[in-house]
Amino acid sequence: MKVYFVSDGTAITAEVFGSAMLSFFDVAVERKSVPFLITKDQAEGLKQQINLEVQQGVALLVFYTIADAGLRDIVQSCDCHCYNLFGELLLPIEKALGVKAQPTAQKAHGMKEGVYDGRIDAINYALANDDGASIKNFDEADIILLGVSRSGKTPTSLYLAMQYGIKAANYPITEDDFSSPGVPKVLKAHKKKLFGLTIEAQRLHEIRTGRMAASKYASARQCRYEVDEVESLYRQERIPFLNSTKLSVEEISTKVMDEMQLVRHRQ
């Protein structure tokens, strides 16, 4: 099965919504995004490509979010099943709000300038404060993620920044930190911002082995020790924490947002 995600914007919305629906079906899917489809020639070219693949026996679906009615008609006329992701939703929302929808190209996918600047600022903050690289700006943090090396701190910090505009610092808990009681001194003033990540020791061993095989750092014994110690630290200090082993970065971030009652930055 091949699936096209088509949009007059980034195609992220089409891909997210379409993928969410496809997740209910146990089928192998080849995915292709087609962003910024804004001209008739582009739409006709896409239609020709899709129809050719269908003629060659490819099972094909199209999920699309397009504002221009003419372009929608061209995509909808492809020789396959096509789904206008906004089409079935707009009419009942119009009735509920009592306001006619006025879609324009990329409007549904765009971002206000202030919001965009805020996201970039948050991303820069996450990069500058990754893995304890800097501790000078912790006052600015919305959250400080803790965890042993390779427990998911960096990708979660960046996802929180990119998707929610959250300034997320992260700090590695190392073997040296276990020799002293409580959280590291540099974190004590920010305890309300702390959130811990943990991971199953076996999975941690596998990840570290892929990076530094046959090292103490990657040994199963060291991984068990660090996980046991860091979870003990979280419990003793009453730091909320989450096991990241079987969760995607999206799921981790959503749970962190909820647990810490963080608010998406829209300004």
Side-chain angles (χ1 to χ4, degrees), residues 52-241:
L52 177 61
E53 292 185 56
V54 172
Q55 291 170 12
Q56 294 172 342
V58 177
L60 204 148
L61 299 178
V62 176
F63 293 97
Y64 67 93
T65 56
I66 298 174
D68 183 87
L71 299 181
R72 287 202 305 268
D73 289 344
I74 294 172
V75 173
Q76 188 64 45
S77 67
C78 291
D79 296 334
C80 64
H81 294 286
C82 300
Y83 302 97
N84 179 2
L85 294 175
F86 288 163
E88 298 302 318
L89 293 173
L90 286 180
L91 184 58
I93 293 175
E94 284 178 341
K95 291 180 178 179
L97 296 178
V99 177
K100 187 72 174 177
Q102 297 179 331
T104 58
Q106 302 187 48
K107 185 175 181 180
H109 318 278
M111 187 181 294
K112 294 180 180 179
E113 183 177 351
V115 176
Y116 175 80
D117 291 342
R119 298 281 174 88
I120 295 300
D121 189 34
I123 292 169
N124 287 334
Y125 180 87
L127 292 171
N129 294 273
D130 179 46
D131 213 27
S134 174
I135 60 175
K136 297 179 181 179
N137 303 315
F138 280 0
D139 286 339
E140 298 178 27
D142 296 308
I143 186 172
I144 303 171
L145 296 175
L146 307 179
V148 300
S149 174
R150 314 311 299 175
S151 58
K153 302 184 302 300
T154 295
T156 302
S157 296
L158 287 171
Y159 191 88
L160 288 169
M162 289 188 288
Q163 295 298 318
Y164 301 110
I166 296 296
K167 286 188 175 182
N170 73 76
Y171 188 91
I173 300 298
T174 67
E175 187 172 359
D176 292 339
D177 294 316
F178 301 139
S179 61
S180 301
V183 297
K185 184 177 179 180
V186 296
L187 300 174
K188 290 183 178 179
H190 310 287
K191 191 171 180 181
K192 291 184 178 180
K193 298 180 180 181
L194 303 182
F195 188 93
L197 293 180
T198 187
I199 186 172
E200 291 177 3
Q202 178 58 34
R203 179 56 182 152
L204 183 62
H205 167 59
E206 293 169 359
I207 294 171
R208 290 184 175 183
T209 297
R211 294 176 59 84
M212 296 179 64
S215 66
K216 177 185 176 183
Y217 167 79
S219 71
R221 180 177 180 180
Q222 181 68 19
C223 292
R224 285 194 300 271
Y225 166 70
E226 290 186 29
V227 169
D228 288 344
E229 289 293 320
V230 80
E231 291 184 2
S232 177
L233 171 66
Y234 295 153
R235 294 187 181 97
Q236 289 173 5
E237 294 296 315
R238 297 184 179 180
I239 297 170
F241 69 97

Side-chain angles (χ1 to χ4, degrees), residues 156 159-160 163-164 195 242 247-262 264:
T156 302
Y159 191 88
L160 288 169
Q163 295 298 318
Y164 301 110
F195 188 93
L242 176 68
L247 300 176
S248 66
V249 67
E250 295 89 347
E251 291 171 317
I252 296 169
S253 299
T254 300
K255 290 177 181 292
V256 168
M257 291 286 291
D258 181 60
E259 180 76 22
M260 297 296 283
Q261 297 185 339
L262 297 174
R264 179 196 296 265

